Amino acid sequence: MAMTREDNDLLTRVENGAPMGEMIRQHYWIPAIPSSKLDAGGRPFRVRLLGVDYVAFRAPDGAVGVLDESCPHRRASLALARNEPGGLRCIYHGWKLDVKGEVIEAPNHAGDQQQFCKHVRVNRYQAVDRGGIVWVWLGKGDKAPKFPELPFVDLPESQRSVTSVEVPTNWVQGVEASMDSSHVGVLHESTTQITAGGGNQRLLMTKALAPKLEFEDQPYGYRYAAIRNMPGEQIYARVNNFVMPWYGVICPPDAHGPTTVFFSTPVDDVTHRAWFVHFNPHRALGMTVMSASPDVWSFPPLPPGTPADNWGQNRELMRRGHQTGFPQHLGTEDFAMFLSQGPIYDRSLEQLCSADGAVLRVRSLLLKAVREHQAGKVPYLADNDALDYAKVRSVGGVLPVGTDWRSLTEAA
Ligand code: FES
Ligand SMILES: [Fe+2]
């Protein structure tokens, strides 16, 4: 049954107190900016999350902070502030805020400054620098949610690269794509061939053969196996994980090869940030298109055109055999699809098929969590005691017919 418009709104909207935005704010750490963008003592960056503007910065001693963008005095932007030892100093009247958001100096106030500073109301956010990303928790209270220890977080820097780009559509369109395995062999047929130099045969097979999907609930979300019959009494199984509220942890195309965690974080209702964490748990990555990108906060490239020229699709290239006419990057192909769906697409109009089970499950987990939050409960999938991010393993391989795909996970 198609989704109602009401549920579509509940699922997608995050701004101005929308329940989904409030649920995420309270129960999840939000990736804010790649660590490499923040130099110690360098410029603060404006970061928009859930429809609100913040600034992220790294103090001269290396500590990271995320604060409301507006100065608590008279609302000048702290993106313009000086980054001094001990905190950001607003350039308007010189108030200074430490990495926790506390006002520690108000030089234009006559009288007892310490007393005065204590009474300035501020929002305090916890920020951490892990896995090449500065994350922030924007919830109320002191007890932060459990940090998502995804498989890339504790790897050495040489084994991962982090890039992201702002995409002008709603975030759920991005999250859905990360769990939508039936688009990979179609939309990404050419890019997969190009990056694998002639083609990763198994990945390319995913186009020809409709998989059977088997799901398993997990305390962090779910995992599923996409199982395809192969010649010679064999099956090819790929196990992917969805980790609430937006992480797609993808099975590597080759055992011991690099793989990706995709996530799409809500900037506001009609904008998201698409993150690509590329990593190899076994060895250094070396140079990749990701690590060689000129700006890790603006990569992969968006489609080069506008709706008027079909987002810059290159039809000449298609005549020469390219699948999509978006040769820039695999991500560019996805972004072209999101843009063509519209800013927030109306899920009441879609017609789903058997391949859409994983996408449906993403939606139902998000909707369940937001309804639990609305009912005043801690969403089951955000319950700290139940969460075990260390269990998230995405693996794949060829097995004899009749073997349980769970044995792959065990072997890994
Ligand atoms: S507005 Fe920032 S110190 Fe006055
Ligand atoms: Fe894709």
Side-chain angles (χ1 to χ4, degrees):
M1 210 181 64
M3 183 177 269
T4 62
R5 295 228 168 117
E6 291 70 30
D7 277 1
N8 200 41
D9 276 350
L10 188 62
L11 175 69
T12 55
R13 297 202 180 261
V14 292
E15 282 183 50
N16 298 322
M20 184 64 82
E22 295 305 299
M23 188 281 286
I24 290 170
R25 193 175 274 279
Q26 190 60 35
H27 295 292
Y28 290 100
W29 285 92
I30 305 176
I33 186 167
S35 313
S36 62
K37 288 299 281 183
L38 300 182
D39 293 327
R43 60 165 285 199
F45 277 88
R46 181 178 298 110
V47 175
R48 193 168 166 78
L49 304 167
L50 303 169
V52 178
D53 289 314
Y54 303 91
V55 286
F57 69 106
R58 190 185 300 278
D61 69 358
V64 291
V66 176
L67 314 179
D68 287 333
E69 183 189 354
S70 298
C71 175
H73 178 220
R74 280 173 43 206
R75 317 290 294 167
S77 172
L78 293 175
L80 304 172
R82 300 171 58 83
N83 189 351
E84 297 183 352
L88 287 187
R89 189 182 295 283
C90 179
I91 59 172
Y92 202 174
H93 313 92
W95 286 27
K96 187 170 178 182
L97 292 86
D98 68 14
V99 285
K100 296 200 189 82
E102 219 69 64
V103 176
I104 50 173
E105 288 177 32
N108 61 343
H109 177 74
D112 186 337
Q113 276 211 25
Q114 270 186 346
Q115 269 310 99
F116 176 78
C117 288
K118 261 192 226 152
H119 291 101
V120 179
R121 275 174 291 105
V122 289
N123 293 317
R124 296 176 198 82
Y125 308 118
Q126 295 183 35
V128 295
D129 184 357
R130 292 190 64 186
I133 296 171
V134 173
W135 315 65
V136 63
W137 175 53
L138 299 173
K140 294 196 172 69
D142 299 317
K143 194 174 176 295
K146 193 177 270 185
F147 185 82
E149 314 258 353
L150 294 167
F152 67 88
V153 165
D154 289 325
L155 289 179
E157 218 178 309
S158 62
Q159 289 175 236
R160 60 158 196 258
S161 73
V162 178
T163 68
S164 77
V165 64
E166 203 170 281
V167 183
T169 77
N170 182 261
W171 63 292
V172 180
Q173 283 155 234
V175 180
E176 289 171 339
S178 71
M179 283 290 101
D180 172 18
S181 76
S182 80
H183 85 280
V184 178
V186 183
L187 182 69
H188 303 313
E189 181 182 6
S190 300
T191 38
T192 313
Q193 279 178 359
I194 294 164
T195 46
N200 179 302
Q201 289 314 312
R202 284 194 198 152
L203 252 193
L204 291 175
M205 257 179 35
T206 60
K207 178 182 182 182
L209 307 169
K212 193 171 97 200
L213 304 183
E214 285 186 15
F215 293 93
E216 197 176 74
D217 290 332
Q218 295 290 334
Y220 49 77
Y222 72 85
R223 63 178 183 158
Y224 76 95
I227 302 161
R228 293 171 169 91
N229 290 317
M230 299 239 312
E233 297 293 292
Q234 291 185 312
I235 55 165
Y236 173 42
R238 288 170 57 80
V239 181
N240 293 330
N241 279 275
F242 173 66
V243 177
M244 282 281 283
W246 42 52
Y247 305 97
V249 184
I250 307 301
C251 153
D254 298 300
H256 304 295
T259 190
T260 310
V261 177
F262 296 105
F263 37 111
S264 302
T265 52
V267 172
D268 54 32
D269 282 351
V270 292
T271 319
H272 73 270
R273 181 159 281 279
W275 295 80
F276 292 70
V277 178
H278 197 58
F279 66 101
N280 189 329
H282 309 286
R283 65 182 78 93
L285 276 180
M287 213 58 189
T288 65
V289 274
M290 314 299 265
S291 46
S293 62
D295 182 355
V296 297
W297 213 23
S298 189
F299 190 86
L302 293 179
T306 64
D309 67 354
N310 282 341
W311 294 278
Q313 186 182 40
N314 186 336
R315 286 271 164 183
E316 167 52 26
L317 201 60
M318 291 171 79
R319 266 191 291 280
R320 287 170 20 214
H322 195 278
Q323 167 76 3
T324 63
F326 293 102
Q328 295 80 1
H329 188 271
L330 167 149
T332 314
E333 296 179 313
D334 289 312
F335 304 151
M337 296 304 95
F338 307 160
L339 292 168
S340 73
Q341 287 174 312
I344 305 183
Y345 94 87
D346 182 352
R347 288 164 182 75
S348 74
L349 299 175
E350 65 189 4
Q351 301 179 63
L352 302 175
C353 76
S354 70
D356 294 312
V359 169
L360 279 178
R361 207 165 262 236
V362 166
R363 297 175 187 174
S364 73
L365 293 188
L366 285 166
L367 284 171
K368 183 165 182 286
V370 78
R371 291 201 170 101
E372 287 168 337
H373 180 74
Q374 285 178 301
K377 295 189 235 166
V378 174
Y380 167 68
L381 292 172
D383 179 353
N384 265 326
D385 297 333
L387 284 174
D388 188 358
Y389 291 107
K391 287 233 174 87
V392 181
R393 287 281 176 272
S394 296
V395 290
V398 177
L399 296 167
V401 166
T403 320
D404 189 344
W405 56 269
R406 288 169 195 84
S407 64
L408 273 175
T409 311
E410 259 52 287

mmCIF file of all heavy atoms in Angstrom, residues 71-76 78 90-95 108, ligand 1:
data_model
loop_
_atom_site.group_PDB
_atom_site.id
_atom_site.type_symbol
_atom_site.label_atom_id
_atom_site.label_comp_id
_atom_site.label_asym_id
_atom_site.label_seq_id
_atom_site.Cartn_x
_atom_site.Cartn_y
_atom_site.Cartn_z
ATOM 1 N N CYS A 71 25.827 34.813 18.052
ATOM 2 C CA CYS A 71 26.409 35.191 19.346
ATOM 3 C C CYS A 71 25.278 35.449 20.347
ATOM 4 O O CYS A 71 24.276 36.087 20.011
ATOM 5 C CB CYS A 71 27.243 36.450 19.150
ATOM 6 S SG CYS A 71 27.897 37.126 20.677
ATOM 7 N N PRO A 72 25.415 34.952 21.593
ATOM 8 C CA PRO A 72 24.350 35.153 22.578
ATOM 9 C C PRO A 72 24.151 36.631 22.941
ATOM 10 O O PRO A 72 23.094 36.981 23.480
ATOM 11 C CB PRO A 72 24.814 34.330 23.791
ATOM 12 C CG PRO A 72 26.252 34.058 23.586
ATOM 13 C CD PRO A 72 26.512 34.126 22.107
ATOM 14 N N HIS A 73 25.116 37.500 22.661
ATOM 15 C CA HIS A 73 24.941 38.912 22.973
ATOM 16 C C HIS A 73 23.917 39.543 22.038
ATOM 17 O O HIS A 73 22.743 39.596 22.350
ATOM 18 C CB HIS A 73 26.303 39.637 22.933
ATOM 19 C CG HIS A 73 26.207 41.116 23.211
ATOM 20 N ND1 HIS A 73 26.965 42.034 22.515
ATOM 21 C CD2 HIS A 73 25.459 41.819 24.083
ATOM 22 C CE1 HIS A 73 26.665 43.255 22.967
ATOM 23 N NE2 HIS A 73 25.759 43.141 23.925
ATOM 24 N N ARG A 74 24.326 39.942 20.841
ATOM 25 C CA ARG A 74 23.349 40.559 19.947
ATOM 26 C C ARG A 74 23.326 39.898 18.579
ATOM 27 O O ARG A 74 23.079 40.543 17.576
ATOM 28 C CB ARG A 74 23.566 42.066 19.892
ATOM 29 C CG ARG A 74 22.917 42.739 21.142
ATOM 30 C CD ARG A 74 23.219 44.210 21.286
ATOM 31 N NE ARG A 74 23.127 44.947 20.053
ATOM 32 C CZ ARG A 74 23.796 46.078 19.793
ATOM 33 N NH1 ARG A 74 24.601 46.602 20.719
ATOM 34 N NH2 ARG A 74 23.654 46.676 18.640
ATOM 35 N N ARG A 75 23.606 38.578 18.593
ATOM 36 C CA ARG A 75 23.285 37.707 17.460
ATOM 37 C C ARG A 75 24.165 37.895 16.223
ATOM 38 O O ARG A 75 23.769 37.506 15.118
ATOM 39 C CB ARG A 75 21.798 37.838 17.062
ATOM 40 C CG ARG A 75 20.817 37.869 18.222
ATOM 41 C CD ARG A 75 20.674 36.581 18.947
ATOM 42 N NE ARG A 75 20.085 35.509 18.162
ATOM 43 C CZ ARG A 75 20.105 34.231 18.532
ATOM 44 N NH1 ARG A 75 20.690 33.879 19.667
ATOM 45 N NH2 ARG A 75 19.560 33.313 17.787
ATOM 46 N N ALA A 76 25.338 38.495 16.380
ATOM 47 C CA ALA A 76 26.247 38.520 15.231
ATOM 48 C C ALA A 76 26.728 37.093 14.967
ATOM 49 O O ALA A 76 26.700 36.235 15.855
ATOM 50 C CB ALA A 76 27.434 39.435 15.520
ATOM 51 N N LEU A 78 28.984 33.958 14.637
ATOM 52 C CA LEU A 78 30.265 33.471 15.159
ATOM 53 C C LEU A 78 31.091 32.794 14.072
ATOM 54 O O LEU A 78 32.230 32.397 14.313
ATOM 55 C CB LEU A 78 30.032 32.522 16.339
ATOM 56 C CG LEU A 78 29.436 33.199 17.580
ATOM 57 C CD1 LEU A 78 29.119 32.162 18.653
ATOM 58 C CD2 LEU A 78 30.367 34.280 18.138
ATOM 59 N N CYS A 90 33.779 36.752 19.548
ATOM 60 C CA CYS A 90 32.930 37.473 18.614
ATOM 61 C C CYS A 90 33.597 38.799 18.257
ATOM 62 O O CYS A 90 34.083 39.521 19.139
ATOM 63 C CB CYS A 90 31.560 37.714 19.254
ATOM 64 S SG CYS A 90 30.415 38.643 18.205
ATOM 65 N N ILE A 91 33.621 39.122 16.953
ATOM 66 C CA ILE A 91 34.349 40.337 16.566
ATOM 67 C C ILE A 91 33.516 41.602 16.786
ATOM 68 O O ILE A 91 34.025 42.710 16.629
ATOM 69 C CB ILE A 91 34.875 40.285 15.113
ATOM 70 C CG1 ILE A 91 33.719 40.099 14.115
ATOM 71 C CG2 ILE A 91 35.920 39.201 14.944
ATOM 72 C CD1 ILE A 91 34.141 40.222 12.652
ATOM 73 N N TYR A 92 32.232 41.459 17.171
ATOM 74 C CA TYR A 92 31.411 42.669 17.338
ATOM 75 C C TYR A 92 31.763 43.393 18.648
ATOM 76 O O TYR A 92 32.218 44.533 18.626
ATOM 77 C CB TYR A 92 29.929 42.278 17.289
ATOM 78 C CG TYR A 92 28.965 43.398 16.928
ATOM 79 C CD1 TYR A 92 27.607 43.119 16.743
ATOM 80 C CD2 TYR A 92 29.398 44.717 16.756
ATOM 81 C CE1 TYR A 92 26.710 44.123 16.403
ATOM 82 C CE2 TYR A 92 28.497 45.722 16.418
ATOM 83 C CZ TYR A 92 27.148 45.427 16.240
ATOM 84 O OH TYR A 92 26.259 46.413 15.910
ATOM 85 N N HIS A 93 31.588 42.701 19.803
ATOM 86 C CA HIS A 93 31.905 43.352 21.081
ATOM 87 C C HIS A 93 32.861 42.539 21.935
ATOM 88 O O HIS A 93 33.076 42.840 23.093
ATOM 89 C CB HIS A 93 30.632 43.614 21.896
ATOM 90 C CG HIS A 93 29.536 44.237 21.104
ATOM 91 N ND1 HIS A 93 28.566 43.481 20.460
ATOM 92 C CD2 HIS A 93 29.258 45.539 20.809
ATOM 93 C CE1 HIS A 93 27.745 44.285 19.812
ATOM 94 N NE2 HIS A 93 28.139 45.532 19.997
ATOM 95 N N GLY A 94 33.379 41.434 21.351
ATOM 96 C CA GLY A 94 34.451 40.720 22.044
ATOM 97 C C GLY A 94 34.035 39.662 23.043
ATOM 98 O O GLY A 94 34.878 39.165 23.794
ATOM 99 N N TRP A 95 32.752 39.285 23.095
ATOM 100 C CA TRP A 95 32.402 38.179 23.992
ATOM 101 C C TRP A 95 33.131 36.919 23.512
ATOM 102 O O TRP A 95 33.317 36.714 22.314
ATOM 103 C CB TRP A 95 30.887 37.901 23.980
ATOM 104 C CG TRP A 95 30.080 38.922 24.724
ATOM 105 C CD1 TRP A 95 30.396 40.229 24.942
ATOM 106 C CD2 TRP A 95 28.791 38.710 25.324
ATOM 107 N NE1 TRP A 95 29.396 40.856 25.640
ATOM 108 C CE2 TRP A 95 28.394 39.937 25.889
ATOM 109 C CE3 TRP A 95 27.934 37.616 25.431
ATOM 110 C CZ2 TRP A 95 27.176 40.095 26.559
ATOM 111 C CZ3 TRP A 95 26.721 37.768 26.095
ATOM 112 C CH2 TRP A 95 26.357 38.996 26.661
ATOM 113 N N ASN A 108 32.648 44.027 27.396
ATOM 114 C CA ASN A 108 31.941 45.320 27.379
ATOM 115 C C ASN A 108 30.942 45.444 28.524
ATOM 116 O O ASN A 108 30.210 46.418 28.604
ATOM 117 C CB ASN A 108 31.238 45.541 26.027
ATOM 118 C CG ASN A 108 30.191 44.476 25.717
ATOM 119 O OD1 ASN A 108 30.194 43.411 26.328
ATOM 120 N ND2 ASN A 108 29.308 44.762 24.782
HETATM 121 S S1 FES B 1 27.190 40.428 19.180
HETATM 122 FE FE1 FES B 1 28.805 39.166 19.782
HETATM 123 S S2 FES B 1 29.811 40.294 21.299
HETATM 124 FE FE2 FES B 1 28.168 41.539 20.744
#
